[in-house]
Structures are given as C-alpha cells and as structure tokens.
Amino acid sequence: MSTVPQRLGKYELRELLGRGNVAEVWGAYDLRLKRDVALKVIHADLQADPNFFTRFVKEGQNVATLHHPNIVQMYDVTVFLPSQSGNATAYIVRQYIEGQTLADYINATLRKGNLLPLTDIVYLFTSLGVAIDYAHQKGIVHGNIKPSNILLNEQDITHLSVGEPMLTDFGLADMLGRDANVVSPFYMSPEQAKGQLAGNRSDIYSLGVMLYELCTGVEPFRDKSSVAVMMQHIDALPTPPLLINTDLPPALSAVILRALSKEPKARFSMASLLAVAIADACSLRPAVPLLQTHEGTEAHRAGPHASLLGVSQPLSRSSASIPAIRPTKLITGKQAAVRPMPLIGDRINRASSSAKLPAVPTSPQRAVTTSTTAKLPAVNTSLQQAVVAPTTLKLPVPASTTTVARPPVPSQTPVPSPAVPMPSGNWRRERSRSGVPMSTVIVALLLLLLVVVSTIATSLLFNAREQANAGSMVGQVFFQDDALGHEDVLRLELKNVTAPPQGKMYVAWLQDSTRHLLPLGPLSVHNSAISFVYPGDTQHTNLLSIVQGVVITQENTAALPSTAGGQIVFQAHFDSASLPYIKNILYATPNFPSNQGVASGLLDVVKSLNDKAGSIVDTLQNSPHDYALARRQAIRIIELVDGTAYATSSGDLPAGVPSQLRTPAGLLTSPMQSGYIDTLTTQLDALQAATGTNTPLLQHIQNVRHAISDLQDWVKKIRAYDVQLVRAADLSNPAIIGVALQVKGLAADSYTGRTIPPNEGPLLSIGSAGAYQAYVESQYMATLNLKQA
C-alpha cells in the first residue's frame, strides 16, 4: 500500500497510474491552475544523500526548459516538506498524456507477431529523432530511452493511429544520481553498462535497440539476469535483423546494426541522421521537418575513427562536421512532406603525420599457400587508404545460357535496314523484295508467332511450377550465438501457417544425427505466423554438433509430449554431403588446435587483435603513458598473427622477450601450423565441392572468400607494422604513433570491414568485407528451409 499523502502542496493525488522501483506515478490535479497533471513521487532516502536535493532541483529545472511537441512537458520539480514532523517527499510534475506507452503497444502487438508498418516506423523515429536532437542541442541527454518512456498521445492521431509519440523522463538518471538504478538493462548502451556516463550517442544506441525490437519483435539481447544482458551489450554481436525478419529491407538491417555499434563514435552522430537513414532504407520520406543543425560538439571530439559494428575503424566524414540538414518540401497528396537533402557517405580519412619511420626489418620468408607475401607500403603516416571499388559477385553462368559474342560489324559503310512495304488492298498478290510471295511470308510469321507463344506458355508453366515448389517452403531455421556460446540458440520463423485444429498444437523437435527427436517446445500461431526461440541448454551446447534437421509435429494439447507421436506437418533437414563441412566451419574443425569452429575462432582472434591495437594507441596518445603495456600488447598481436612458436623462431619476437599468450595457431599460416585464414579456405573448398548446385550456399561461400581475401592482405600488413612496435627502442618517439595508428586502422578493418565511399558501411565485396562479415555469412550456411511434410 502506498504511503504517499493524498495531497502534495497544491496537487491533489487522485489515481495511482503505475509503480516502479524508484517511483510511483499518480494522476493528480493542480488545484491552482485547474488542470490534470501526472505526478511522479520518488522513492528516495533524502538523508542518505546530502547532495540529492541540490542535484534533483538543478537537473529538473534544466529539463523543464525543454518545450517540444514530442517531449512531455515538465511543470514542476521540488521536495515537499510537511508542516508537521515527517519525511520529505521528492516529486516531479509533468504534462498529463492520455494514452498507452509504446511498451504497452509492443506487448499487445509485436509479442503476437504484429509488426508495425514501415511507414509508422519512419514517422515514429523521425518524430523522436527531432525531439532528441533538440534536447541534445540544449545539452540534455535522456540516458534512459525505452518503450515505457514513450507515451502515445491518443488525443493526436493525425500521423499514427495509436497516438503521437512523446518522450518522457528526460534526465531522470541525472536527477536521481548514478546509484538510483533507473536505466533499463535491455536498452542500455555498452558505455553505460561499463559504468560510464551517458552521452548523446548513448541515446542513439537505445533508439537502435528499440528499432531492432520493432523490426523483429524481439530485443537484440535477452537473458533472465540483468548482468548477463549488460555483458551482452558490451561483448556480444547482435543477430542481424534480416535473419529474424526476412521481409526487412537489407538496407534497414544495416542501419540498425550501425546504430547498435559498440563504439559510440561508430553510431550515427545525431538522432535525426538515424531517422534519415531509416527513411532512405525504406524508400520513404520523413513526414515531419528535421532540424537544421550542425553536428554536436560530441561528434567533433569523437576523432577520426569509427566503425559500423562496434570497434574502432576509420569511418570519419570528409569534413569535421556534417552539413546542416536543410529540408526541402515535397508534395505528397494534400500535405507537404519534408525530406532532407541526401548526405555524403562516410569517407576514409586517417590521421596524418609527417614523421618518417625506420624501414621494416626483414624476417624469414613466410610459407603461405594462398597468396604471395604482401609488400608493405612505406610508413608514411598520412595513413591515406587506397579506395578499392566494390566488385559485384557473379556466380558461374551455366553453359546452356552462355552468350556467344558476335563478330564486329565493319564500320566503314553502315548497312541500312530494308524497308518493309505495307500490304495494299490486293495483299495476296504482293511479293516481298526477295521475290517470295507475301502469303508465304505471312504463313512464316504465323508459324514464328506460334513458336513464340508456345515458348512463353512453357516458360510460364515452368515458372508456375517453380513458384508452387517455392510455395511449399513456409519458414526457416537458423542458429545463432548468445553471450556465452556459439550456435547454441535456435530460432524458427514461419509465415502463412494455418492454426492447428481445436485440441491440437504444434511442437518443434530437433532431430539429432541418430534420427532421435529432442523436444524444443510448443509453437504458437499468431496472425498465421510462428516466431519461436529455443534458448539452448545450461551447457550452451553448440546445436550444430548434434543436429540433422528440425521437425514440427501436430500433437494433442492435453500435455506436452516427451516423444513425438503426432503427424509431421513441417520439416527441414541438412544435406548429408554438406553438413560435415558446415560443422567443421561452425562447430569444431578437425586437426586444428582449437576447441571451436574455425569461423568463430577467426572472429574471436581478430576481435582480440583489434582490442589490443586500440589499447596501444590509447596508451601512446593519452597520459599517463604505460609504455610497458603497449609493448606487451604489441607482443600479443604478433602471437595472434603468427602463433607463438613461429613468432619466436622467425625472430619477430626478439630473443629473451617472453610470450604473453602462447597461441598454438595464428591467423596466418606458418611452416609449423596452418593458420585460421587458410584453414577456413580449405574447409570452404571442401564445402563447395560437396554443395553441388545450391546457389544460395554458393553465394555465401563466395562472400566468405571475399572477406578472406581482404583479411589475408590486411593481417600481413598488421604483422609488418607491429614488428616495428615490438622492436622499437623507444615507444615515446612521436614517430611511432603513426605505426600504431596503422595497426589500429588495419585491425579495425579486419574486424568490421572497410567502408568504401559513398557506402556507409562495409560490403560483401573485395576490399570491404572483414571477419565479422565472414562469420555472419558462415552462419547463413547453416540456414534450413522448413517445408510442408
């Protein structure tokens, strides 16, 4: 029962609207101004924090200066001191909004498989983006953006049928203090999960989490433990949204991943830029005008390195700031919509220095099977990367469809086309210029027309059959990672599914290598669709180690069966020839010194290398300088690239320098051990030979090969530059920072891929793809197509 008095100052409390960990929200009435208000009573021990009153009022007064149609207006923030003895009560008074929260709407719709239309998503994030940028320009960070803090004003349904979105609780975390435990772990940015203060781009991350949820129906990171969810925000890569919702525009999936970058500098610098990207990805136009503003001061401090998927990467724009967004009016129907001018994509722009570095010391020739030894460019710390134009992947064309080139026509004298005479009234007696009777020509034309019609009919029949066959596929099964394992989570997505008869239910089963069916759980049908996640077991078993297929049966609803006894309605099975090599890549690779698949191992090693490269630059650039740490990190990088044994025997690690990692295999192949890159190539070769004509699988294999080609080049250059760091006599030499920046930039490229303007993110093409793309494409190889039994 609430202990809040029924009157606080001039406010009469009338109805309890909600209760949380830190506050109660009441519907109240302002007796002086004669208006309804919402009053949030804070649960706080004012005596325990002597600074609470000052901070609470000061921060609240700042928030009260926000006046925006998509921000809930704060009217009052104060501490009520009763006239008689009693505890003081802190409270916030704000505008009363009639309507549900976005969280309520999500629980009533998305959780049942009803996703928002793209037009509504564009409007929602455009409205929120403009409001957030407005607050950021005033120096106010929300710090806790989540669906429950977005009210849907049912009094204004001009643009959204559920109500106009309005943000509330701006700055509440700052008002209550860092120890108030206000921020939701599900929408928390990685920097906040690490205990750091929220910045402008923390709000962008939270918007990205909401966008992911609205486009897929699930949060990117989920767990029963709040700590586990926070660790996922810090370390785990989100499942690409396109895997969960195959109807999502691929460009929108990329926008979501950029907003969810682990590193703040890699995200969109402004919420309105995120809104523009969402609209462009959906081929729609923002329905409200965007702010005419320059990039905030936070973006200027961010420096030149950013990334798409969560680590440092040179993705800075060609200028220090983003040009002002100047909206132009476009007429759509009877209303004038506003669309911002297109933005120039991110450009590679590395830091520069005029210092000359010593030549790279020579070392024994490396045994590499897939490519020749890379030539290291001179260490000119202008660090400007050569831009490689993306290439379009072309699969081999079947011989039957190969076009034969025609010989060139002589260009001296053009040959005119003969004029075709129009038939006269006595057309039966007309002849063509060749002397053939016109009746013969007409018969020939009729025969030709018959052949064409027959061909078209055959083609249409063939396409109809193909569509019928394709129509038998009702969904997909794919495997994904959680924070503690690889391929230990299974997801089912089905569409156009008929609900089971009365008294029946669908149950999903994992078929193992012995054809035994293991229960995954019951399936619920909502709006002819099924979305199901099997979270895995407590041991985080890699499901690919035991799977042969997935079966869905129709069972009685009396009790969930432990064994399948009903009719099989849907099923999917791996190809027996391809599955062993998919397991080699994603589960465990034979004869390789690692307890995991080579694809996930490659990603983990490159991520570790990238972290260490960033640590070196931070140490050399920022005070106090821990040069011993920087050298240890450089040693670890050489071991990750070469493997410890070869790094020592080759002289890359000077005599007497102790090992830091003792890695049995490196990224590159050595005379002692095949490396991760070449081992993955070998497995791809075997998989491709066993695949046959499976075009989607061949496409994924080729995409991984593109990433491998890039990694081979970038990692060799990392090795050559890093040797200089290991052997440098004085790491405090200003010239050495150029070498460290080269290592950091190449490491970031290796992890997340390289952006080639005008693209705003890495592509699955030569010169762009990195280890992350290679791993995601490898995961696609394990996708199963569910078909009707």
Side-chain angles (χ1 to χ4, degrees):
M1 183 174 179
S2 175
T3 59
V4 178
Q6 293 304 300
R7 181 168 174 175
L8 290 173
K10 64 176 182 176
Y11 302 105
E12 181 181 82
L13 279 60
R14 295 183 172 180
E15 179 186 5
L16 180 63
L17 302 178
R19 179 182 289 114
N21 294 329
V22 298
E24 291 179 1
V25 180
W26 287 79
Y29 188 72
D30 187 331
L31 297 173
R32 294 181 185 175
L33 298 179
K34 308 299 182 182
R35 65 181 178 185
D36 292 323
V37 296
L39 192 146
K40 182 186 289 283
V41 181
I42 307 300
H43 301 316
D45 185 356
L46 305 188
Q47 287 74 29
D49 183 357
N51 298 318
F52 177 86
F53 178 80
T54 302
R55 181 182 64 249
F56 181 72
V57 174
K58 178 182 177 181
E59 296 293 340
Q61 289 174 344
N62 289 337
V63 175
T65 64
L66 298 178
H67 299 278
H68 191 278
N70 294 104
I71 295 177
V72 177
Q73 179 65 45
M74 181 183 291
Y75 294 143
D76 193 7
V77 52
T78 189
V79 175
F80 175 71
L81 299 173
S83 56
Q84 300 177 353
S85 60
N87 295 328
T89 303
Y91 62 89
I92 300 168
V93 182
R94 60 169 174 78
Q95 178 184 4
Y96 181 79
I97 304 297
E98 291 188 19
Q100 62 183 333
T101 68
L102 183 60
D104 296 330
Y105 177 80
I106 288 174
N107 290 330
T109 57
L110 265 69
R111 298 294 182 255
K112 297 180 180 179
N114 300 325
L115 299 182
L116 271 175
L118 292 179
T119 51
D120 289 355
I121 289 177
V122 169
Y123 180 81
L124 174 67
F125 281 85
T126 303
S127 302
L128 295 177
V130 172
I132 291 168
D133 282 349
Y134 163 79
H136 287 176
Q137 286 185 340
K138 290 182 171 292
I140 299 175
V141 175
H142 192 290
N144 189 25
I145 295 176
K146 56 184 179 179
S148 60
N149 279 338
I150 297 173
L151 305 180
L152 300 175
N153 185 4
E154 64 183 23
Q155 300 300 313
D156 183 358
I157 57 173
T158 305
H159 300 286
L160 289 180
S161 60
V162 294
E164 184 71 13
M166 302 185 69
L167 263 169
T168 188
D169 279 359
F170 257 100
L172 184 62
D174 292 334
M175 294 172 64
L176 301 185
R178 297 182 63 181
D179 297 330
N181 194 27
V182 175
V183 182
S184 167
F186 295 100
Y187 302 89
M188 179 184 295
S189 68
E191 56 271 20
Q192 289 173 281
K194 294 177 183 178
Q196 302 170 10
L197 291 176
N200 289 1
R201 302 196 190 203
S202 303
D203 286 347
I204 306 299
Y205 184 92
S206 299
L207 284 175
V209 176
M210 281 201 334
L211 180 59
Y212 188 108
E213 184 176 12
L214 289 171
C215 290
T216 65
V218 295
E219 302 98 336
F221 303 115
R222 301 169 300 282
D223 199 284
K224 295 180 180 179
S225 165
S226 297
V227 175
V229 174
M230 293 166 65
M231 292 305 299
Q232 290 179 44
H233 283 298
I234 296 172
D235 295 324
L237 294 172
T239 300
L242 193 58
L243 267 179
I244 301 174
N245 181 3
T246 55
D247 292 334
L248 204 65
L252 182 56
S253 182
V255 168
I256 296 171
L257 291 177
R258 181 178 178 186
L260 291 178
S261 295
K262 303 297 183 187
E263 185 174 310
K265 291 176 290 186
R267 302 168 203 153
F268 294 93
S269 58
M270 298 168 58
S272 56
L273 294 184
L274 170 60
V276 170
I278 295 171
D280 287 345
C282 300
S283 300
L284 297 171
R285 298 170 178 172
V288 296
L290 299 178
L291 287 179
Q292 299 187 35
T293 179
H294 288 280
E295 194 172 23
T297 56
E298 183 189 30
H300 291 288
R301 295 195 302 266
H305 290 77
S307 91
L308 175 68
L309 294 165
V311 293
S312 301
Q313 178 179 339
L315 280 180
S316 65
R317 298 185 181 275
S318 57
S319 60
S321 65
I322 297 176
I325 302 175
R326 307 183 188 279
T328 57
K329 291 187 177 181
L330 297 172
I331 303 300
T332 57
K334 295 183 179 180
Q335 295 180 345
V338 179
R339 177 172 175 80
M341 297 297 289
L343 300 174
I344 299 176
D346 291 330
R347 299 183 181 276
I348 299 172
N349 180 22
R350 298 179 184 270
S352 61
S353 172
S354 59
K356 293 184 178 180
L357 300 179
V360 180
T362 58
S363 59
Q365 182 71 24
R366 168 178 299 277
V368 179
T369 59
T370 59
S371 62
T372 57
T373 304
K375 292 183 179 180
L376 179 68
V379 184
N380 180 349
T381 51
S382 65
L383 308 182
Q384 184 66 31
Q385 298 265 0
V387 178
V388 182
T391 58
T392 302
L393 174 64
K394 293 184 178 180
L395 292 175
V397 180
S400 60
T401 61
T402 304
T403 302
V404 179
R406 296 179 180 271
V409 177
S411 58
Q412 287 83 354
T413 305
V415 180
S417 300
V420 179
M422 294 297 293
S424 64
N426 191 12
W427 61 270
R428 296 180 186 272
R429 296 180 180 180
E430 291 285 343
R431 292 178 178 266
S432 68
R433 290 192 175 187
S434 62
V436 179
M438 186 57 66
S439 58
T440 305
V441 174
I442 297 298
V443 171
L445 289 175
L446 290 175
L447 290 174
L448 178 60
L449 180 61
L450 180 61
V451 171
V452 171
V453 171
S454 176
T455 303
I456 294 175
T458 303
S459 177
L460 291 174
L461 179 60
F462 175 81
N463 290 337
R465 290 176 178 175
E466 287 295 304
Q467 291 176 3
N469 291 335
S472 64
M473 190 187 81
V474 295
Q476 289 185 311
V477 181
F478 53 90
F479 303 85
Q480 59 190 77
D481 305 339
D482 70 3
L484 300 175
H486 290 290
E487 316 300 336
D488 55 346
V489 176
L490 180 146
R491 176 178 288 277
L492 299 172
E493 296 289 339
L494 295 88
K495 294 184 178 180
N496 301 320
V497 177
T498 303
Q502 186 71 24
K504 299 287 185 178
M505 64 177 174
Y506 293 140
V507 179
W509 309 82
L510 183 77
Q511 187 178 60
D512 64 17
S513 55
T514 64
R515 299 284 178 175
H516 182 65
L517 296 181
L518 308 174
L520 297 175
L523 308 179
S524 299
V525 180
H526 297 290
N527 293 331
S528 302
I530 295 175
S531 182
F532 171 79
V533 175
Y534 171 69
D537 55 30
T538 56
Q539 290 76 38
H540 298 277
T541 301
N542 187 311
L543 298 176
L544 288 176
S545 65
I546 58 174
V547 69
Q548 178 64 43
V550 171
V551 171
I552 297 176
T553 63
Q554 184 173 280
E555 307 285 350
N556 295 323
T557 57
L560 184 65
S562 57
T563 58
Q567 174 189 1
I568 296 177
V569 288
F570 307 112
Q571 58 185 348
H573 296 91
F574 278 105
D575 174 66
S576 59
S578 302
L579 181 58
Y581 303 107
I582 294 175
K583 287 185 176 182
N584 291 350
I585 293 171
L586 290 170
Y587 166 53
T589 307
N591 303 318
F592 193 71
S594 173
N595 292 325
Q596 60 185 151
V598 64
S600 56
L602 173 69
L603 180 67
D604 291 344
V605 172
V606 174
K607 179 180 183 301
S608 178
L609 185 151
N610 177 74
D611 292 341
K612 292 167 177 54
S615 173
I616 292 173
V617 171
D618 291 342
T619 300
L620 296 181
Q621 287 185 327
N622 303 318
S623 297
H625 304 293
D626 189 344
Y627 296 115
L629 172 62
R631 193 177 302 278
R632 289 195 300 272
Q633 296 288 54
I635 292 171
R636 293 181 179 110
I637 288 176
I638 282 294
E639 293 185 75
L640 291 173
V641 171
D642 282 348
T644 300
Y646 183 67
T648 302
S649 65
S650 67
D652 287 348
L653 285 183
V657 175
S659 166
Q660 298 293 320
L661 295 177
R662 298 195 177 280
T663 56
L667 291 170
L668 297 178
T669 293
S670 74
M672 303 175 179
Q673 175 66 53
S674 176
Y676 280 93
I677 295 175
D678 283 347
T679 300
L680 179 54
T681 300
T682 300
Q683 293 299 325
L684 289 175
D685 291 342
L687 176 59
Q688 183 167 338
T691 296
T693 59
N694 186 333
T695 302
L697 186 52
L698 289 172
Q699 179 76 66
H700 295 310
I701 291 173
Q702 186 61 52
N703 291 342
V704 178
R705 290 189 189 279
H706 284 166
I708 287 175
S709 175
D710 295 333
L711 285 171
Q712 192 79 255
D713 175 53
W714 294 336
V715 172
K716 286 179 182 178
K717 292 177 181 176
I718 289 173
R719 176 181 178 272
Y721 284 120
D722 190 68
V723 167
Q724 295 187 59
L725 297 177
V726 174
R727 296 180 178 178
D730 183 12
L731 289 178
S732 65
N733 184 342
I736 209 69
I737 188 61
V739 179
L741 285 170
Q742 286 280 19
V743 173
K744 179 179 179 179
L746 289 164
D749 290 344
S750 299
Y751 183 34
T752 64
R754 175 177 294 176
T755 296
I756 302 175
N759 306 305
E760 293 194 355
L763 302 176
L764 294 169
S765 58
I766 294 294
S768 186
Y772 178 81
Q773 286 82 1
Y775 182 59
V776 171
E777 289 296 307
S778 296
Q779 284 187 303
Y780 277 125
M781 297 175 187
T783 302
L784 288 173
N785 294 328
L786 278 165
K787 297 184 179 182
Q788 294 180 349

